[in-house]
Amino acid sequence: MGLTAGHPVEDAVTPAPLVLGSNDFGSVTDRVCEINEWKTPRAWYVAFGIALTLLGVLLAMVSYLVLAGLGVWGLNMPIAWGFAIVNFVFWVGIAHAGTLISAILFLFRQHWRTSINRWAEAMTVFAVCCAGLFPGIHVGRMWLAYWLFPIPNQMKMWPNFRSPLLWDVFAVGTYATVSVMFWYVGMLPDLSSLRDRAKTKMRKILYGVFSLGWRGSARHWHVYERAYLILAALATPLVLSVHSVVSFDFATSVIPGWHTTIFPPYFVAGAIFSGFGMVLTLIVPSRTMFKLEDFVTKRHLENMCKIILATGSMVGYAYLVEFFIAWYSGNMYERYTFINRAMGPYWWAYWIMVTCNVITPQLFWFKKVRTNLVGMWILSIFVNIGMWFERFVIVVTSLHRDYLPGSWDYYSPTWVDMMTLVGSFGLFFTLFLLFIRFIPIIAASEVKGVLPQAKPHGGHE
Amino acid sequence: MSAPAWGIVAVFETPAEILRAAEAVRDAGYRRFDVHTPFPVHHMDRAMGLRDTRLPWVILGMAVLGCATAVGLQGWAMGKGYPFILSGKPLFSLPAFVPIIFELTVLFAAFGAVFGMLAFNRLPALYHPLFKNRPFSRVARDGFFIVIESSDEKFKAEDVRKLFESLGAKEIEDVHD
């Protein structure tokens, strides 16, 4: 891939520019809005067709589950949390990178986030949709899934607020709501761009309504910027809390391998790791397809690779500490669980996890790999695979060998489990492709703010 | 057009120009004026003489309300509505309530931030006189606009036009409601 201008990659003294090429305020808007205005490319239809087919598979699998019951899954008595919980934790984890990019990097004034935050936030919202599906269908009688919520009812019963499973309902529900609001508020100015450029009546009405009449008033910007800053400050502890609460589902139980205090930080690091993996997986091909090299520069991609390297190493460190504590605790069940993880019936899952999460991301130490599009894309796929297997290892290996050998068993997924997982990618990509088609995928108004000509005093504060 | 104009709008090309224009309009004593830009321009709040928004207080209020709701909901449901001893914990087991207290505090505060922002800005407002102004369609792209409304006490069409001309506005137009 050739680069258009300037220093493509940050060196030690002068940071690379955040926007390459000879872009001004107008051309940023044009480039971003054109993606939504061009005739739909054929590749989009092909991809959308595949995604819709997979979504159909998901609907078929869920319908089959509703009609036939949970027996169509591979669950058995010690392993009552199979693919549903693995997939749930996997998708919630992916969601985390979006909020990290949009909120935490915003608070730390990492201006390179501006070109990638919209995609990442979209990914967050869609991944939470996928995640939310699984606990809902896992409850068995899913028509009673509303029992999860504290709704006054004729039985005068209330859910148990002391249970981590209910904390999860609130944590994921709050996370989904706040993510959607953060995403929507951030895109108001760009929707108004599309409104002002709309040619057809349909577009005028839809973008007109959804941009809420935004007109770039400085009085509005003043309140808007304050609201956005505070939303970022609220979302920052939220992103750390959501996966901590997810990890409480495991950590507050007394199953060996789950009952550990390292779980919340370890889960959060893993979530950010997997989320950045998914962001790279999506952004590398889209960037080339829509010719967005000026906005998503190699500096952006390299920074994401560095975050993957850092969080991947944290995850690897957590694996080591788990083993050390299992040995150091002197608890035979704990020791056995970890030896069994690495060398028991599920050794293959454990070593896929270690290879993909700990070993392959170390290649990002090399600048050649961090700046190679194909290389980073392949490594990002490894991250996705590795993090799915991490959740599989945590859920299944701990459950299949607990205290009494009499209750030991082996879990294997059925074809329904497999196709439901595949189908959840259909849901994710259907939503993502619709997003690419109809919503500005780059926060144009924010990118304008980081252009050099945006500073009224020529860079002096 | 014989009807009196709703206001007069001037177009500028750069953030520096619009900032200077806003300062000049503020110093000339106009109060019912507004600036429209494609992105938030630094120091515009001071240039326009805007008062700091009270939005953070609304958000704080909502956060406290969310916190109180969570304590009340959990305390009542577990202590009165459906009193059951679970895992040997007291009926009002505050430490176990902390995660949901946190989540509802954040949720309510976020609602306060978003809907408070919309309310302070009087959005959604699908109609505005400026939307009928042709050059104004550039506002989200690359146009920097300043408008003085005719309802301003000091508003005199000739004075306003003269002020905008002296600031180097590229286009000056009447806006009709």
Side-chain angles (χ1 to χ4, degrees), chain A residues 100-165:
Chain A
L100 184 99
I101 290 173
S102 53
I104 298 183
L105 297 186
F106 180 77
L107 289 187
F108 286 141
R109 299 187 189 278
Q110 294 294 306
H111 293 300
W112 60 274
R113 75 182 260 293
T114 48
S115 301
I116 53 173
N117 66 336
R118 180 73 45 75
W119 327 49
E121 288 165 23
M123 184 194 76
T124 294
V125 172
F126 306 149
V128 173
C129 292
C130 295
L133 171 76
F134 284 100
I137 59 176
H138 188 237
V139 293
R141 292 177 290 166
M142 47 293 272
W143 49 94
L144 296 178
Y146 68 91
W147 284 6
L148 290 165
F149 302 100
I151 301 168
N153 55 65
Q154 78 284 7
M155 299 173 290
K156 293 196 166 184
M157 284 171 77
W158 288 88
N160 177 16
F161 286 98
R162 304 181 192 96
S163 161
L165 299 180

Side-chain angles (χ1 to χ4, degrees), chain A residues 178-335:
Chain A
V178 173
S179 300
V180 168
M181 291 197 296
F182 203 46
W183 187 46
Y184 183 61
V185 166
M187 88 174 94
L188 277 181
D190 293 341
L191 288 176
S192 80
S193 255
L194 281 172
R195 172 200 65 202
D196 293 341
R197 299 161 60 94
K199 297 276 188 306
T200 66
K201 183 146 197 172
M202 184 72 134
R203 291 179 83 93
K204 277 181 188 168
I205 291 174
L206 286 178
Y207 287 122
V209 169
F210 281 106
S211 61
L212 305 181
W214 183 261
R215 50 183 189 273
S217 156
R219 293 172 195 274
H220 290 181
W221 279 121
H222 171 70
V223 186
Y224 175 94
E225 282 198 290
R226 186 61 65 88
Y228 199 82
L229 177 69
I230 294 176
L231 266 182
L234 291 168
T236 296
L238 190 64
V239 62
L240 301 180
S241 84
V242 175
H243 230 53
S244 299
V245 169
V246 170
S247 81
F248 292 160
D249 294 345
F250 300 91
T252 56
S253 72
V254 289
I255 305 285
W258 286 3
H259 190 64
T260 57
T261 49
I262 199 180
F263 259 34
Y266 156 39
F267 267 51
V268 171
I272 291 162
F273 176 64
S274 70
F276 270 89
M278 187 57 101
V279 175
L280 267 191
T281 307
L282 296 171
I283 220 165
V284 168
S286 324
R287 165 186 187 268
T288 310
M289 186 185 288
F290 297 112
K291 304 190 174 56
L292 291 170
E293 289 89 350
D294 280 359
F295 303 115
V296 184
T297 67
K298 290 234 166 162
R299 175 178 168 196
H300 294 96
L301 299 177
E302 201 189 346
N303 281 354
M304 286 193 272
C305 293
K306 286 177 183 168
I307 291 181
I308 289 179
L309 174 61
T311 47
S313 304
M314 284 182 213
V315 168
Y317 172 74
Y319 297 161
L320 280 180
V321 169
E322 274 191 319
F323 264 83
F324 172 75
I325 294 296
W327 166 77
Y328 188 68
S329 68
N331 179 317
M332 62 186 263
Y333 299 105
E334 196 76 15
R335 276 189 196 180

Side-chain angles (χ1 to χ4, degrees), chain B:
Chain B
M1 283 286 202
S2 54
W6 173 82
I8 298 181
V9 66
V11 191
F12 294 86
E13 292 303 306
T14 67
E17 281 173 24
I18 195 76
L19 200 64
R20 209 161 45 87
E23 282 167 350
V25 171
R26 174 198 65 191
D27 293 343
Y30 293 103
R31 316 201 91 214
R32 295 191 61 89
F33 74 100
D34 204 348
V35 170
H36 299 264
T37 55
F39 57 89
V41 175
H42 280 291
H43 310 304
M44 185 54 85
D45 310 341
R46 229 179 307 150
M48 289 174 67
L50 293 185
R51 271 191 315 154
D52 224 13
T53 171
R54 291 185 310 264
L55 181 66
W57 294 104
V58 173
I59 299 174
L60 178 66
M62 286 299 284
V64 172
L65 182 66
C67 184
T69 306
V71 175
L73 172 70
Q74 298 183 90
W76 180 83
M78 295 288 93
K80 271 254 179 252
Y82 192 54
F84 248 77
I85 302 287
L86 290 158
S87 21
K89 293 190 183 97
L91 289 178
F92 188 82
S93 36
L94 191 59
F97 296 163
V98 166
I100 293 181
I101 292 174
F102 170 79
E103 300 297 341
L104 284 192
T105 305
V106 169
L107 182 68
F108 277 51
F111 279 132
V114 172
F115 293 105
M117 183 272 285
L118 293 177
F120 276 118
N121 287 345
R122 295 170 195 245
L123 293 174
L126 298 189
Y127 172 75
H128 192 271
L130 277 170
F131 286 145
K132 291 200 287 196
N133 182 257
R134 189 187 43 80
F136 191 72
S137 64
R138 272 175 58 209
V139 68
R141 188 173 183 273
D142 59 353
F144 296 83
F145 296 80
I146 188 161
V147 58
I148 301 180
E149 294 174 26
S150 56
S151 54
D152 192 292
E153 283 170 13
K154 287 196 66 184
F155 184 90
K156 276 201 199 87
E158 315 84 71
D159 293 355
V160 170
R161 284 179 170 274
K162 226 174 273 166
L163 175 64
F164 284 160
E165 272 163 26
S166 71
L167 290 165
K170 202 170 143 244
E171 286 174 78
I172 302 168
E173 282 191 17
D174 284 358
V175 180
H176 293 276
D177 197 358

Side-chain angles (χ1 to χ4, degrees), chain A residues 166-183:
Chain A
L166 193 64
W167 303 347
D168 238 9
V169 172
F170 278 84
V172 176
T174 301
Y175 190 49
T177 315
V178 173
S179 300
V180 168
M181 291 197 296
F182 203 46
W183 187 46

